């Protein structure tokens, strides 16, 4: 039987790897399909937040997620607020940029390539940080 620590490492790695994959797929789509790029870049930050919540053991958030069986935007927002106090305001900015891409770039399809590209900086830092935790 796997220990809770082993499950947490597996969950962290799954979210970490998904985040990196979504980020690279998003970058590759910026010029050809900014709507899909927006969604993939958003997903990269969403998956990063999940990985960081596991890594920093945000127990109350993780318990809610486990009880419900899925993440909500509230869970992600709560995690971002707490993680920003640990890691810095750049994480909150990355989340806000990613959420903007999710809504305005993907759902509303109001952003072109330049608008997507303008918001990549802090999102890229999120990816670099989760790569540092477990290379």
């Amino acid at each position: 039987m796997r220990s809770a620590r082993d499950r947490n490492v597996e969950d962290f790695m799954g979210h970490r790897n998904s985040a990196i994959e979504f980020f690279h797929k998003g970058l590759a789509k910026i010029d050809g399909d900014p709507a899909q790029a927006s969604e993939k870049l958003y997903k990269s930050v969403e998956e990063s937040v999940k990985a960081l919540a596991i890594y920093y053991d945000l127990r109350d958030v993780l318990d809610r997620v486990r009880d419900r069986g899925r993440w909500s935007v509230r869970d992600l927002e709560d995690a971002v607020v707490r993680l920003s106090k640990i890691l810095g305001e750049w994480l909150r900015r990355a989340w806000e940029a990613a959420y903007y891409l999710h809504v305005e770039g993907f759902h509303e399809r109001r952003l072109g390539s330049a608008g997507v590209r303008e918001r990549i900086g802090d999102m890229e830092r999120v990816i670099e940080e989760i790569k540092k935790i477990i290379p």
Side-chain angles (χ1 to χ4, degrees), residues 15-103:
H15 291 299
R16 174 199 178 275
N17 294 341
S18 291
I20 294 166
E21 184 177 335
F22 277 123
F23 186 74
H24 291 295
K25 286 181 177 179
L27 290 178
K29 291 192 171 284
I30 291 175
D31 291 323
D33 190 345
Q36 280 301 308
S38 294
E39 187 64 357
K40 292 195 180 348
L41 292 167
Y42 163 76
K43 289 295 288 179
S44 75
V45 175
E46 179 183 292
E47 291 296 309
S48 296
V49 169
K50 292 173 185 178
L52 290 166
I54 293 166
Y55 183 79
Y56 286 100
D57 196 29
L58 302 185
R59 185 62 26 219
D60 57 326
V61 174
L62 297 173
D63 287 346
R64 279 197 320 255
V65 169
R66 188 195 65 240
D67 292 346
R68 190 180 320 101
R70 65 177 179 79
W71 286 80
S72 69
V73 173
R74 178 182 170 213
D75 298 324
L76 293 163
E77 178 68 23
D78 288 351
V80 166
V81 168
R82 297 215 7 235
L83 290 165
S84 292
K85 291 176 182 167
I86 297 167
L87 299 170
E89 283 300 303
W90 61 266
L91 181 64
R92 185 188 49 76
R93 286 190 309 269
W95 170 250
E96 289 172 357
Y99 198 75
Y100 185 85
L101 289 179
H102 177 63
V103 174

Side-chain angles (χ1 to χ4, degrees), residues 16 55 125-135:
R16 174 199 178 275
Y55 183 79
R125 183 167 180 191
V126 175
I127 298 301
E128 293 307 314
E129 291 294 324
I130 64 168
K131 284 180 181 178
K132 285 181 194 174
I133 291 170
I134 299 179

Side-chain angles (χ1 to χ4, degrees), residues 1-11:
M1 179 177 264
R2 295 178 323 162
S3 69
R5 183 185 182 291
D6 290 341
R7 282 191 303 276
N8 284 346
V9 169
E10 287 175 17
D11 288 347

